[in-house]
Amino acid sequence: MVRYALIAEPDPQRAAGLLALLTAEGLEGVIVRDGAEAQEQVRQRGAPQLLVTDLALPRMDGFALLTWLREQDGAAGTQVVVVTAFDELRVRAWQLKGTLGIHALLSRRASTELMRDTLRRVLGGQLASQAPPDEASSEQEKQRLASIAAMRLVDDGPPEAELQQLVTEVAQAFGVPVALLTLVLGERQWFKAHVGLPPSLAKDRGTPRDWAFCHHVVQGREPLVVPDARRHPVFRDNPLVRDGIVGSYAGAPLQTSTGEVLGSLCVIDTRPLVLGVEDLAALRELASRVAEDLEQRARAKQATAQAQAAPVVSEASALALLREAVQALDVAALLVAPGRRPHTCNAAMADLLGLPSDAFPGMTFDAFCQHVASLTTDPAATLRQLDLAAGASRGLRLTLALERPQPRRLRWVARPFPIPGGTAQMLTLSDMVSPRPPREERERQFRVDALTGLDSRRFGEERLLREIGRCRRSGMPFSVLLADVSGLGRLNATRGFDAGDAVLRDSARVLEALGAPTGFAVRWEGGLFLLALPGVDAERTETLRQRLHATPGVPAMASATVTVEGEEDPQGTLTRAQAALTRAKMEQRPPHLP
């Protein structure tokens, strides 16, 4: 048996945390993202001393992986720790612990201390006990159901056309026959939107909660993937599986801004489902956006209901009430008063269209449409589209291609609703290319260096200080590698800034790869990069520094390393690193000039 630990974990942050714990125990850790990658690693390197795995892995689930592993030569002594968010999967795994060779089961929400203690006990040859289920309290469940009721998400009407279009697009994007937007209620799951269901389920728009795969997503608060439900020890006896309706499943939680999980956005196939980690991440991002949209719809409905419930409220009072809802939205939004009068917009709309917020109340709606059209390549054709959108009594959705202030594709959605004095309209513009709402995009620009894609210095320094503190509390080493590209100014002067930028981007990629999977790189300033290495001691850091200079194609660099000493102030560590780099530059012979 090879002395290494195999970590099968789709989430890179959690995988990095597990790797740090195992490195501290003296094991070489190898991270894989799904069950198929884990199989390939075992084939190449042999059975590991320790396997830490989730049960809900893409491509091959944890149960199938453990069954396969126990059939391999030399794997009888492999110790197994299961870490998963799903209680019923964990209970079933514990029932099969003898067959699957499981030594411990933990919740994803287990503390670092419990995780470390469990790993040490298993490595020491002890059989750890099962962690208790993470059952939500009755109060939490009441609050979750109250949120669904307050948002008025369940109704007797047909599925909304916009949500039906969404699930249709999701099914097409993932290449599956069925996609659902589900709400998990007290005793049943209810399909708010659906495509591809058998007629009986489509008519009932739901199933008992006991049948619902989405129930597990709500309980675990994490995405769940079941690549082959017919062979899965938890789901193979599910009535939907026995009837051939569900052969495989992947679902992501609809989580509100206050933390309640309403249900799931899921895809279903009658055959085994081959979804990778990137696919699962995309589904999770879509679910997050859908949950945000449902919240926005609920706020708009609540504001409309309040306005309608008080007939003595004036038009001005109703608009003032709605103004707060508009300002709270992350998506670009404009409130249009009766008579097609732009009333108020949020900061996201102003940023998107390059207009100051105070310009909107003084505009006519025609002037607003003309401004939007002027940002496109064909203003006349766009203006005709917008006139149609503005005049539609039931609202309209259309797609716009803006060239200014920057090229982007936008979805225009107009939703009319009555208020005292007439019909108002909520107009939203959402970016169809970038999934990030404007607020998140602004935060991303603060965090990320635009040229290299690395952490910016300001964000990287904050992250560095946090990681040093974390490693100190955990008793782990922490090292820093500084690397400064030599002759960058001369390169820019002789070959142009494009050449210099290319060198910086290439250097960033090399440093990122060098620090993977637990380290992170920061563009400190100019041609100076910092590589933070949590869990790495001085000797290994020096090895990495030498590997950096030996990498083919890496430009000439001056470099230096330091390791945090005792309770040294983190700023003191950075000062020592800068001093060491200065000495390295002085000792380095100047590069030969052409």
Side-chain angles (χ1 to χ4, degrees):
M1 183 182 303
V2 184
R3 183 174 170 78
Y4 78 100
L6 185 59
I7 303 167
E9 169 56 62
D11 187 295
Q13 187 173 359
R14 288 180 175 131
L18 289 167
L19 179 61
L21 291 175
L22 292 169
T23 300
E25 298 303 317
L27 282 176
E28 175 195 1
V30 177
I31 294 175
V32 294
R33 302 179 301 170
D34 59 45
E37 284 187 11
Q39 272 189 316
E40 185 60 29
Q41 193 66 222
V42 173
R43 290 191 184 103
Q44 292 179 6
R45 301 191 53 166
Q49 177 183 351
L50 174 68
L51 171 63
V52 182
T53 184
D54 197 344
L55 293 173
L57 296 173
R59 297 207 291 171
M60 170 185 271
D61 66 73
F63 289 100
L65 173 62
L66 292 176
T67 300
W68 174 85
L69 179 66
R70 292 313 178 195
E71 296 171 351
Q72 307 309 301
D73 293 337
T78 297
Q79 297 154 309
V80 174
V81 175
V82 168
V83 183
T84 190
F86 305 103
D87 285 346
E88 291 185 41
L89 272 63
R90 194 159 69 247
V91 169
R92 183 60 175 146
W94 190 249
Q95 292 169 348
L96 298 171
K97 64 181 183 298
T99 303
L100 300 177
I102 296 174
H103 297 78
L105 287 106
L106 290 172
S107 164
R108 270 188 183 271
R109 290 178 283 279
S111 66
T112 301
E113 292 73 17
L114 177 58
M115 191 79 69
R116 181 187 296 109
D117 178 66
T118 300
L119 291 173
R120 285 176 176 171
R121 292 179 64 189
V122 170
L123 289 170
Q126 302 178 50
L127 184 66
S129 59
Q130 181 194 9
D134 290 328
E135 294 182 358
S137 69
S138 58
E139 287 302 316
Q140 289 174 324
E141 178 67 2
K142 287 179 182 178
Q143 178 59 46
R144 192 186 69 82
L145 296 174
S147 294
I148 294 175
M151 294 170 70
R152 294 193 286 182
L153 297 175
V154 181
D155 56 58
D156 295 329
E160 298 173 50
E162 191 172 339
L163 295 179
Q164 282 294 102
Q165 179 64 27
L166 167 73
V167 294
T168 300
E169 292 174 357
V170 169
Q172 293 171 349
F174 286 88
V176 297
V178 179
L180 307 173
L181 181 61
T182 73
L183 302 175
V184 177
L185 309 179
E187 300 296 333
R188 63 193 291 255
Q189 68 170 342
W190 183 74
F191 307 141
K192 188 165 181 66
H194 57 84
V195 63
L197 285 174
S200 59
L201 287 182
K203 179 181 178 181
D204 293 341
R205 290 185 68 180
T207 72
R209 182 166 176 170
D210 291 345
W211 298 9
F213 286 62
C214 298
H215 157 74
H216 299 274
V217 176
V218 170
Q219 176 269 316
R221 308 172 66 84
E222 294 279 350
L224 170 66
V225 57
V226 184
D228 190 347
R230 293 170 299 183
R231 299 177 181 273
H232 198 284
V234 174
F235 298 108
R236 62 192 174 201
D237 294 326
N238 185 293
L240 299 175
V241 178
R242 290 201 307 266
D243 292 345
I245 297 170
V246 177
S248 52
Y249 169 94
L254 300 172
Q255 189 163 2
T256 69
S257 58
T258 53
E260 291 90 9
V261 179
L262 308 174
S264 170
L265 176 65
C266 65
V267 293
I268 294 171
D269 203 342
T270 55
R271 301 173 298 178
L273 189 65
V274 183
L275 290 185
V277 173
E278 292 80 7
D279 298 314
L280 202 59
L283 185 64
R284 183 170 197 163
E285 177 63 30
L286 279 170
S288 175
R289 294 173 62 186
V290 171
E292 181 181 0
D293 184 64
L294 291 176
E295 283 194 279
Q296 291 169 359
R297 289 163 177 259
R299 293 191 193 107
K301 286 181 180 178
Q302 289 169 355
T304 302
Q306 290 173 3
Q308 293 175 333
V312 297
V313 174
S314 65
E315 176 184 323
S317 299
L319 292 173
L321 184 66
L322 291 166
R323 184 185 300 119
E324 296 183 10
V326 172
Q327 297 298 336
L329 298 178
D330 286 330
V331 68
L334 172 67
L335 174 62
V336 183
R340 294 178 60 179
R341 294 176 290 116
H343 181 71
T344 187
C345 78
N346 59 8
M349 178 68 81
D351 290 347
L352 188 67
L353 300 181
L355 284 172
S357 299
D358 56 8
F360 288 86
M363 272 186 168
T364 64
F365 194 77
D366 289 340
F368 170 76
C369 291
Q370 289 171 2
H371 175 76
V372 174
S374 72
L375 303 178
T376 68
T377 55
D378 191 348
T382 303
L383 193 56
R384 286 194 293 272
Q385 282 185 296
L386 298 183
D387 284 341
L388 176 62
S393 61
R394 298 183 62 186
L396 189 70
R397 298 170 60 202
L398 53 87
T399 300
L400 300 175
L402 266 59
E403 292 297 318
R404 295 174 295 277
Q406 58 180 319
R408 62 206 313 168
R409 286 173 58 80
L410 299 176
R411 175 168 291 176
W412 167 299
V413 180
R415 297 188 180 98
F417 56 93
I419 66 170
T423 299
Q425 188 175 148
M426 184 69 74
L427 171 64
T428 60
L429 295 177
S430 56
D431 198 323
M432 297 179 65
V433 176
S434 170
R436 300 184 181 94
R439 180 183 300 172
E440 184 177 337
E441 179 61 24
R442 290 193 294 271
E443 293 175 354
R444 189 194 71 82
Q445 293 172 357
F446 161 76
R447 297 193 304 264
V448 177
D449 174 65
L451 176 63
T452 63
L454 301 181
D455 287 346
S456 66
R457 174 168 179 171
R458 182 175 175 185
F459 180 73
E461 189 168 3
E462 293 176 357
R463 185 178 177 188
L464 179 74
L465 299 181
R466 287 197 303 269
E467 284 296 302
I468 290 177
R470 183 182 66 81
C471 287
R472 179 176 290 148
R473 291 191 298 273
S474 302
M476 297 165 54
F478 191 100
S479 300
V480 170
L481 188 158
L482 288 182
D484 195 7
V485 178
S486 303
L488 184 62
R490 185 172 64 256
L491 178 64
N492 287 332
T494 58
R495 296 178 54 192
F497 285 97
D498 287 346
D501 289 349
V503 167
L504 291 174
R505 283 192 289 267
D506 291 344
S507 300
R509 300 291 79 77
V510 171
L511 285 162
E512 273 191 314
L514 194 68
T518 58
F520 59 92
V522 181
R523 186 184 179 193
W524 207 248
E525 58 185 12
L528 177 61
F529 296 91
L530 180 146
L531 181 61
L533 297 166
V536 179
D537 59 21
E539 182 178 352
R540 286 182 57 204
T541 304
E542 177 58 25
T543 300
L544 290 176
R545 190 187 72 82
Q546 294 174 9
R547 188 186 304 170
L548 170 66
H549 290 279
T551 302
V554 170
M557 289 183 175
S559 63
T561 65
V562 296
T563 299
V564 176
E565 298 177 350
E567 296 299 317
E568 176 184 44
D569 181 84
Q571 292 294 348
T573 302
L574 293 177
T575 300
R576 285 199 299 117
Q578 293 278 11
L581 181 64
T582 301
R583 289 195 299 272
K585 288 181 177 180
M586 294 176 63
E587 296 169 359
Q588 187 180 60
R589 187 174 62 184
H592 177 68
L593 295 176

